[in-house]
Each structure stands twice: as structure tokens, then as C-alpha cells.
Amino acid sequence: MPNESRMTQHLDPRSPWVISTHDLGKRPGTMRQMTLTLPAPVDLGVDMIGVAKDAEVELELRLEAVMEGVLVSGTAQAPLSGECARCLDPVSSEIEVGLQELFFYSDEDASEEDSLLDGELFDLEPTFRDAVVLALPLSPVCGEDCAGLCTECGVKLAEAGDDHRHEKIDARWASLQGLISDKDNDQEK
């Protein structure tokens, strides 16, 4: 049963992530391949790593007209930047994600979560955003062998060496520590 209260948004055809399907003409079986370079949208990431705003996103897309709408599939590559979860050094890499979304012609065939075409236009940004955020590492590291920071003093363990240690005194015996030092000083006199 179609949801009559569902409103479709009107897309701005000048927006970089809004793509036209005009040349497919609602003819099932027609297909178009395209390669695009688009600016990354704002706030695309998690706490430690993400895609910087306006970074170049490389897209390889295939648009296919089917009975219900337009099936968009392909890949997207984007540069990542952030910080290592262990040592807080800057981290940069690339991410490649697969994209696949069916944009329905009308809400009669679509459920509430499905994407709709706005006339001949669709917005690929939500599909791209979902794919990237789900693929991002929650705890990125600069290298698998990164030892991180010392929990006592904060020095980078990779630079501190293997002999980096801190004397740990049990809090229950800490008040006696001063007595031993005083006794040693008295004996030296």
C-alpha cells in the first residue's frame, strides 16, 4: 500500500551529487556508465578518521533502467585523513567502497526506507555517505606494530625504547616509602 503522506524532496540539479537519468528514458534495459570526480560532502567520518570536506571522490558508476526505477551501482574512492587511535600521529590512506541503490520511479513500488527519483534526478550523496561511514575503521592505526603511548607519562612507546618503565608503588604501602629513604640517609651519615 503506498504511503500517501510521503513527501519527495525537490533536488537541485546544480548540486554535484545530484545526477540526471534523462538519457535512460524509463526504458528497462538501457544502461549508462559514467566516471565522475565530485567534492566530498561535509562531516563524512567518525571521531578518529574521515574524508575531508571537498576532497576529490572518484566514482565509477553504472546506471541501469529497470521496471521499478534506476539501479545505480559502482565504486567510490576517497582519501582518508585522521589520527592513529594508539599514538595520535596523523594517518592518511584511501578508502574504496561499493555502491548499489535502486531509485524508484514512484512511491507506489517503494517502501518508506527506499530512495525515490525526483523526476529524472537522484541524489547519490546519502548512498555514498552510508557506504563510507560503515566502511571506516573505528580505531585507525598508523601501523599494525604501533605500540601507542605510555599510560603513565604519555611518551610514544616506539620512541622510548624497550627499557621504558615506571616504578609502581602499591598505594597501601606508599606512606612507608618515605621511612625507607629516611633510614638510608641516616645510615650514610
Side-chain angles (χ1 to χ4, degrees):
M1 182 170 152
N3 185 350
E4 297 299 328
S5 65
R6 183 167 157 181
M7 297 294 294
T8 58
Q9 64 186 31
H10 289 290
L11 301 175
D12 181 0
R14 295 169 296 185
S15 175
W17 287 87
V18 173
I19 299 172
S20 173
T21 63
H22 175 73
D23 56 337
L24 296 178
K26 292 188 179 182
R27 294 183 310 270
T30 56
M31 188 260 311
R32 175 177 70 169
Q33 291 187 329
M34 52 193 318
T35 301
L36 300 170
T37 301
L38 300 177
V42 68
D43 292 332
L44 184 57
V46 293
D47 290 339
M48 302 289 293
I49 196 162
V51 179
K53 179 184 182 296
D54 293 330
E56 288 188 352
V57 178
E58 303 289 331
L59 296 157
E60 293 287 330
L61 299 176
R62 179 180 172 142
L63 282 59
E64 299 175 74
V66 294
M67 293 298 289
E68 302 87 6
V70 175
L71 177 64
V72 178
S73 55
T75 60
Q77 287 183 315
L80 293 178
S81 60
E83 56 188 26
C84 177
R86 295 180 190 162
C87 69
L88 304 178
D89 276 353
V91 173
S92 62
S93 64
E94 278 207 358
I95 189 168
E96 182 173 327
V97 293
L99 306 172
Q100 186 164 5
E101 185 79 26
L102 177 59
F103 293 89
F104 286 86
Y105 292 127
S106 72
D107 60 358
E108 293 175 8
D109 298 324
S111 70
E112 184 122 353
E113 301 85 35
D114 290 330
S115 301
L116 291 176
L117 286 166
D118 180 14
E120 298 176 332
L121 303 174
F122 67 88
D123 186 1
L124 190 60
E125 183 184 329
T127 303
F128 170 70
R129 180 179 296 279
D130 290 348
V132 168
V133 171
L134 290 174
L136 288 174
L138 294 178
S139 297
V141 292
C142 58
E144 291 302 318
D145 59 342
C146 178
L149 302 175
C150 174
T151 58
E152 297 290 321
C153 66
V155 70
K156 286 177 67 172
L157 293 174
E159 296 171 359
D162 294 337
D163 59 344
H164 182 78
R165 306 233 187 291
H166 294 277
E167 186 177 329
K168 296 192 184 204
I169 300 172
D170 188 331
R172 297 170 291 182
W173 300 102
S175 60
L176 297 177
Q177 187 68 23
L179 295 175
I180 295 172
S181 298
D182 292 342
K183 184 178 178 184
D184 290 342
N185 289 338
D186 289 341
Q187 287 180 355
E188 289 175 8
K189 291 180 184 176

